[in-house]
Amino acid sequence: MGAFSELANGFATALTPENLMFALLGVLLGTAIGVLPGIGPAMTVALLLPLTRSLDATTALIMFAGIYYGGMYGGSTTSILLNTPGESASVVTALEGNKMARAGRAAQALATAAIGSFVAGSIATLLLALVAPTVANLAVEVGQPDYFAVMVLAFIAVTSVLGSSRVRGLASLALGLTIGLVGIDATSGQQRLTFGIPELADGIDVVVVAVGLFAVGEALWTAAHLRRRPVDVIPVGNPRMNRSDWRRSWKPWLRGTAIGFPFGAVPAGGAEIPTFLSYVTEKRLSKHPEEFGHGAIEGVAGPEATNNASAAGGMVPLLTLGIPTTATAAVLLAAITSFGIEPGPQLFDNEPELVWGLIASLFIGNAALLLLNLPLAPVWAKLLRIPRSYLYAGILFFASLGAYAANASPFDLLLLLVIGALGFLMRRYGLPVLPAIIGVILGPFAEERLRTALQISNGELSGLITPFSTMVYAIVVLVLLWPLVRRLLPRKATVPVLADAVHEIEEAHSHSGTTDAVSVEARARKGAEKPNGSDGS
Amino acid sequence: MSSASSGAREQGRSELGVALFLGGLGVLVIVQALLLEESLIARGPVGPRTVPLVVGGLLVVVAAFLAVDVLRGGRGEPEGGEDVDLTGRSDWRTIAMLVAAFVANALLIEPLGWPVSGAILFWGSAFALGSRHPVRDLVIAVVLSVGTWYLFVLVLGIALPVGVLEGIL
């Protein structure tokens, strides 16, 4: 009841002609930028962040809702037509989607992705509207020590993504935390890591870090290894689906929503695990399992729905706790704070117009996506043919423009280059970028929570221990020690679907090379599993 | 075959450099934290130094683990992508030209203005990336830089330096 009247108010905010225009503009820009190869949703949001500087906060966030969904859909289009997942969440889409496209069914793959995203996004946004106020109410009760514990969990969770190397994840997190330390300490007023450079006293602007790590790092890395041959883009007509496609798609859409939303909503989720879970589930339940690996429509419908549902689910921790679970959500959080708005459970009470306007525009962005993107698909496909020299020159051009516009300081441009060089190194040595960006954005918040908690307890470390935080720390320890714990568990205790998903993730990574790293640990685990597997058979 | 394995060995050695970089950065963070004066208003064990000390310590520990992982044969996997061809070596000439175009923009943006420096950035980057249509590139670069200048200044109300073209634009 409360949620629905608030949501109605939200629609009243979002449907003013001006806000509606910005939502549609966001979807168009988001898709257009997101569809460009090499540009994932997070980079799209980071590059477009400066455009919203002069808007008021509500309008800006409404535009971001459009950019967010548009960027994600653009990423799926690239995956299907070029076999180039822009981020880990669309790796699975590329598995079956690109096979479908090669078999001449690109239009159907794009259609099931678009309609599935719409269905999943709408249901998941409705769930968000219902769940988020309750979570926010609960979260208001949560104390500073609990907050700090949840942030520690978020740090550890992003570094322990399945299939990648933990050491390299932690290294990336530590780099991000270090960048977040630069500047004047808010509590004591002392300068930390500024080396007497006045431009560093206010800290490093998050826009500069995000654009540097994503856009400049990616452009430099790709430039160093540019594939100099014509790009092979599959031509596409207007997306459409026949009766059998619909029959095979609607259940995966719904199942994908059910898998994606809860995973997105947990402050340790991300979209990679649920999309793989969805893929494996569809493969098991399909009446045509033999088509998997050769372009099964269920393998596009399920994961795409999951991806969108988990994106909406990810808004739950973002809006209620101020904790991002994906790179894109982290950049959104940076956008929220850049307007001087304090994220956290008070957001629903302090800024109801903003929050509900944002939720309503998630619905609008979703609908706009469907209306715009089905007819525009052939246009987007043409964008994939843009000459690579112009594409990456353009990325550097707009990255510089955005970073300069943020503070009108040439110093920021040099900083951008340094951080871009760091992004280059991270790509070269398989350090994932996500933990760094989470560290930069969440690190200062976590420190503030820690110190407030200790001031309340008058400096006693026991002030950090509450029943809730103890539970969270137990989960943190479990995640950290998971490789050991898993060895102690009896074989039967691991859920078979989950084990399959892990296997698929490792397979996909070794093919596409999207991730991150193979470490000794992962190899040892594979080796250890083999005898077990043969025991079972 | 042999060149591939020597390439892998070369990466192994250079990856130790990453561990060294992380360790060195960690030491730097710790030293800088120790140089801070202890704050008077902080109560208990956590002052402005504490978090930098923890982060610096984390960097040093991670550096050690990474070095062990590399020595035991673990390798960071370079990131792939549709436009990325990992079979060759890094193309440092392209990188150097891109960095030159980028730095030129940073240095020239205030004296010459964004419409000029942005065009230099785009044209130089496109040239570095192998485009050999100097006139067409120049037209695109000027349209982009002048267009974005008008977009930011007139539509978005964000000031960008106009530089030498003051009074013309």
Side-chain angles (χ1 to χ4, degrees):
Chain A
M1 163 81 201
F4 281 106
S5 67
E6 295 277 20
L7 188 58
N9 288 340
F11 271 105
T13 309
L15 285 174
T16 61
E18 195 202 350
N19 286 347
L20 189 60
M21 192 193 79
F22 276 106
L24 293 180
L25 189 67
V27 170
L28 266 184
L29 276 176
T31 318
I33 309 278
V35 85
L36 295 172
I39 304 190
M43 204 211 272
T44 308
V45 179
L47 279 176
L48 293 174
L49 196 57
L51 284 183
T52 60
R53 284 273 156 144
S54 60
L55 303 174
D56 78 285
T58 309
T59 309
L61 281 180
I62 285 173
M63 186 172 171
F64 269 117
I67 294 172
Y68 188 37
Y69 274 138
M72 267 193 320
Y73 182 74
S76 335
T77 308
T78 328
S79 297
I80 290 170
L81 296 181
L82 269 183
N83 192 20
T84 63
E87 61 163 11
S88 53
S90 33
V91 170
V92 194
T93 308
L95 285 182
E96 296 298 320
N98 189 250
K99 296 267 166 48
M100 278 183 77
R102 285 185 192 285
R105 285 169 46 79
Q108 284 77 9
L110 286 174
T112 197
I115 302 170
S117 296
F118 171 73
V119 171
S122 301
I123 299 175
T125 309
L126 194 63
L127 288 174
L128 164 70
L130 293 175
V131 169
T134 319
V135 177
N137 278 339
L138 288 176
V140 173
E141 311 285 320
V142 167
Q144 304 289 335
D146 305 326
Y147 253 114
F148 178 69
V150 174
M151 288 177 174
V152 172
L153 175 62
F155 286 143
I156 297 305
V158 290
T159 60
S160 310
V161 185
L162 281 176
S164 71
S165 153
R166 225 169 256 264
V167 182
R168 292 172 179 80
L170 277 172
S172 165
L173 174 70
L175 285 172
L177 289 172
T178 308
I179 297 175
L181 281 175
V182 175
I184 291 176
D185 170 40
T187 319
S188 70
Q190 301 198 63
Q191 299 207 0
R192 295 194 298 198
L193 296 177
T194 58
F195 305 102
I197 301 169
E199 284 90 344
L200 287 178
D202 285 336
I204 300 178
D205 195 298
V206 173
V207 173
V208 175
V209 180
V211 171
L213 282 181
F214 286 117
V216 179
E218 177 79 22
L220 292 178
W221 171 241
T222 311
H225 296 275
L226 194 59
R227 197 187 294 270
R228 297 182 195 271
R229 59 161 176 74
V231 195
D232 170 27
V233 182
I234 297 158
V236 62
N238 267 322
R240 63 187 180 282
M241 287 170 35
N242 64 26
R243 189 180 280 267
S244 131
D245 294 330
W246 280 95
R247 209 170 41 236
R248 290 176 59 178
S249 289
W250 71 271
K251 279 186 198 155
W253 291 338
L254 295 183
R255 279 193 291 261
T257 314
I259 295 172
F261 185 79
F263 266 92
V266 175
E272 188 181 35
I273 302 168
T275 47
F276 275 98
L277 269 182
S278 160
Y279 180 76
V280 173
T281 312
E282 295 313 328
K283 198 173 173 179
R284 294 205 158 196
L285 294 176
S286 170
K287 289 187 185 119
H288 313 273
E290 74 286 351
E291 279 186 28
F292 273 79
H294 307 282
I297 195 165
E298 293 94 336
V300 181
E304 269 302 292
T306 310
N307 189 5
N308 248 39
S310 92
M315 300 302 274
V316 176
L318 182 68
L319 293 177
T320 60
L321 299 171
I323 292 180
T325 54
T326 63
T328 322
V331 181
L332 276 182
L333 180 72
I336 293 177
T337 48
S338 75
F339 286 104
I341 297 166
E342 167 105 2
Q346 308 86 2
L347 200 61
F348 274 82
D349 289 331
N350 296 348
E351 306 275 351
E353 196 194 353
L354 181 142
V355 173
W356 289 103
L358 174 65
I359 293 177
S361 33
L362 289 176
F363 280 108
I364 296 168
N366 219 349
L369 202 61
L370 191 66
L371 292 177
L372 290 174
N373 284 346
L374 285 183
L376 285 179
V379 179
W380 301 139
K382 283 209 181 71
L383 273 182
L384 293 175
R385 295 173 188 274
I386 183 171
R388 293 306 178 252
S389 52
Y390 292 158
L391 174 63
Y392 292 102
I395 291 177
L396 288 175
F397 177 88
F398 283 103
S400 301
L401 177 59
Y404 182 84
N407 296 314
S409 146
F411 179 79
D412 276 356
L413 288 175
L414 297 174
L415 209 52
L416 183 69
L417 186 62
V418 172
I419 294 174
L422 185 65
F424 178 91
L425 274 183
M426 292 173 74
R427 284 171 174 80
R428 167 72 177 79
Y429 292 106
L431 303 184
V433 176
L434 173 62
I437 216 79
I438 300 263
V440 173
I441 293 173
L442 215 47
F445 285 111
E447 183 182 7
E448 198 189 320
R449 301 286 183 196
L450 172 68
R451 287 164 71 175
T452 320
L454 285 172
Q455 295 208 328
I456 293 170
S457 74
N458 211 359
E460 293 297 321
L461 277 177
S462 60
L464 292 178
I465 306 296
T466 67
F468 180 79
S469 71
T470 314
M471 199 178 78
V472 176
Y473 287 127
I475 300 174
V476 169
V477 172
L478 196 69
V479 172
L480 274 178
L481 299 180
W482 180 241
L484 289 177
V485 176
R486 197 156 93 158
R487 230 168 276 171
L488 297 177
L489 287 177
R491 176 76 181 152
K492 277 179 193 163
T494 45
V495 189
V497 178
L498 206 64
D500 266 15
V502 173
H503 177 70
E504 293 282 349
I505 290 172
E506 280 166 2
E507 284 277 294
H509 282 158
S510 59
H511 290 311
S512 72
T514 327
T515 73
D516 303 325
V518 183
S519 73
V520 176
E521 186 192 284
R523 281 188 197 166
R525 204 165 64 220
K526 267 186 203 164
E529 263 173 12
K530 265 178 199 153
N532 279 342
S534 59
D535 278 352
S537 63
Chain B
M1 193 70 198
S2 68
S3 71
S5 71
S6 80
R9 225 179 308 137
E10 184 200 355
Q11 163 157 8
R13 258 182 284 133
S14 68
E15 205 171 352
L16 284 177
V18 177
L20 203 65
F21 167 71
L22 291 170
L25 186 65
V27 171
L28 178 72
V29 172
I30 290 172
V31 169
Q32 287 282 317
L34 291 175
L35 290 174
L36 286 174
E37 286 169 34
E38 202 42 81
S39 158
L40 295 174
I41 50 168
R43 287 199 210 126
V46 174
R49 286 174 171 188
T50 319
V51 174
L53 287 178
V54 171
V55 172
L58 178 67
L59 278 166
V60 171
V61 171
V62 163
F65 271 100
L66 184 64
V68 171
D69 188 68
V70 172
L71 290 175
R72 282 171 61 194
R75 289 289 176 272
E77 183 185 320
E79 192 179 87
E82 69 284 10
D83 290 339
V84 174
D85 177 9
L86 289 173
T87 50
R89 305 177 60 87
S90 293
D91 178 357
W92 293 111
R93 211 172 131 253
T94 303
I95 296 288
M97 286 195 285
L98 283 180
V99 169
F102 196 96
V103 172
N105 172 53
L107 296 178
L108 297 176
I109 189 165
E110 296 208 325
L112 296 186
W114 170 254
V116 176
S117 69
I120 293 174
L121 169 63
F122 184 89
W123 190 89
S125 304
F127 181 84
L129 289 161
S131 175
R132 290 296 177 268
H133 302 275
V135 179
R136 192 177 81 184
D137 293 357
L138 187 66
V139 173
I140 297 175
V142 169
V143 168
L144 270 178
S145 65
V146 174
T148 48
W149 188 85
Y150 273 117
L151 174 74
F152 271 67
V153 174
L154 296 183
V155 183
L156 299 170
I158 299 171
L160 287 177
V162 60
V164 289
L165 294 177
E166 190 170 6
I168 299 171
L169 290 179

